[in-house]
Amino acid sequence: MSDLGHVLILAGGLSYEREVSIRSGRRVAEVLRAAGVDVETRDADSTLVPAVLADPPDAVFVTLHGGAGEDGAIRSVLELLDVPYVGATPDACRVAFDKPTAKAVVRSWGLNTPDSVALPKETFHDLGAAAVLARIIDRLGLPLFVKPSRGGSALGASMVRTAEELPAAMVGCFAYGDTALIERYVEGVEVSVSVVDLGDGPVALPPVEIVPDRGVYDYAARYTAGHTEFFAPARLSPEATEACAGMAVAAHTALGLRDISRTDIIVDAAGKPYFLEVNVAPGMTETSLLPMAAEAAGRDLGTLCKGLLELAATRG
């Protein structure tokens, strides 16, 4: 058995990504048990604080996606309870979780990111949706990609190829958040680069190339087996692979992240990478990208998760 003792996995929550979170938590629990770790899984509900106070874990692995799992809230509670956890601090989470803010930070570090505009729902109501949408197209051109400024799993996200498609995309986006990020769409190879830091500095795992069968990596493509083809490592040139790894590590560092992150990138036809967004609680399901990257690197997922927990426990 591990020297860790009692480990708690947080999974579930009340975000739109609850089911994905439960699957991530189940997978992490399985690989940790296989690595000899004593694991307990709990939901983030009213029983959590009393349970932690009654039996404090040596460390917590947060597999909550969206909302409180990634905006720093649950991590603030864990810090109030003096419980160490894997992952970024609350302040870093708040910055990374808000996509327009994260884009501004990485751009200030010199990283490429598609031109975009972030606008709240009230702006369209107050200024007139038609006039605002027309100006967005004039400024950014077509095609566009629309997504909520917060959240993940591509919920509320859609491709816009014509001006006529933009109003419906905005309505779909606002169903999942009050602010929309409208981004110039960059045609190219979509890859995801996971970063891990076991105490010796952040290291990029091999990039995973994403090829959805319908052309868009939406919720169904992400979590339905067979809807997306993955290549790990990605089919990139050595130069593009190195550039993507450097971008993911730079984003991890610029945003003040810790332990683990996953950066989504588009590589254009010239091999130039563009930062899209970063995830502070990467999915760990059977179809998630970090486990694929770990396998491509020849790293056992259970050993990796155990190492992250052991590192977190030293901060307790």
Side-chain angles (χ1 to χ4, degrees), residues 61-87:
F61 203 113
V62 180
T63 63
L64 298 167
H65 304 316
E70 297 183 61
D71 65 4
I74 197 69
R75 297 159 198 256
S76 292
V77 173
L78 293 174
E79 293 198 352
L80 287 172
L81 296 169
D82 290 322
V83 174
Y85 55 88
V86 171

Side-chain angles (χ1 to χ4, degrees), residues 136-290:
I136 288 172
I137 293 174
D138 289 344
R139 171 69 177 82
L140 298 177
L142 289 167
L144 298 168
F145 200 81
V146 178
K147 54 189 173 184
S149 66
R150 299 182 164 204
S153 293
L155 291 167
S158 58
M159 166 84 74
V160 173
R161 296 195 178 274
T162 68
E164 291 73 24
E165 293 173 350
L166 186 52
M170 299 300 293
V171 171
C173 177
F174 287 138
Y176 290 94
D178 292 331
T179 298
L181 176 64
I182 306 103
E183 203 167 47
R184 181 175 63 85
Y185 181 73
V186 177
E187 201 79 45
V189 178
E190 186 170 359
V191 300
S192 187
V193 183
S194 299
V195 172
V196 296
D197 184 351
L198 293 171
D200 298 320
V203 175
L205 299 180
V208 178
E209 180 182 348
I210 303 157
V211 186
D213 58 3
R214 293 185 295 180
V216 178
Y217 194 41
D218 57 14
Y219 186 90
R222 287 168 188 249
Y223 300 113
T224 306
H227 279 226
T228 300
E229 191 173 8
F230 301 98
F231 296 89
R235 300 170 297 176
L236 298 173
S237 69
E239 295 79 12
T241 297
E242 184 178 354
C244 288
M247 174 171 278
V249 170
H252 183 96
T253 304
L255 293 164
L257 304 182
R258 190 175 68 180
D259 299 342
I260 189 171
S261 69
R262 195 199 72 227
T263 295
D264 297 334
I265 297 169
I266 288 284
V267 182
D268 71 10
K272 182 178 180 179
Y274 288 82
F275 170 92
L276 298 179
E277 59 189 77
V278 68
N279 191 310
V280 300
M284 303 292 274
T285 74
E286 300 80 2
T287 57
S288 292
L289 303 171
L290 188 148

Side-chain angles (χ1 to χ4, degrees), residues 34-152:
V37 180
D38 178 21
V39 175
E40 175 192 6
T41 302
R42 276 196 167 274
D43 209 330
D45 57 23
S46 60
T47 67
L48 177 62
V49 172
V52 169
L53 289 173
D55 185 15
D58 292 299
V60 175
F61 203 113
V62 180
T63 63
L64 298 167
H65 304 316
E70 297 183 61
D71 65 4
I74 197 69
R75 297 159 198 256
S76 292
V77 173
L78 293 174
E79 293 198 352
L80 287 172
L81 296 169
D82 290 322
V83 174
Y85 55 88
V86 171
T89 65
D91 286 346
C93 286
R94 280 187 280 272
V95 174
F97 187 60
D98 187 80
K99 296 179 180 68
T101 303
K103 280 168 65 76
V105 170
V106 302
R107 185 182 285 115
S108 74
W109 274 56
L111 302 185
N112 302 313
T113 185
D115 291 339
S116 62
V117 60
L119 293 172
K121 187 190 305 183
E122 291 78 6
T123 300
F124 294 91
H125 180 270
D126 295 345
L127 300 184
V132 175
L133 294 179
R135 184 56 187 153
I136 288 172
I137 293 174
D138 289 344
R139 171 69 177 82
L140 298 177
L142 289 167
L144 298 168
F145 200 81
V146 178
K147 54 189 173 184
S149 66
R150 299 182 164 204

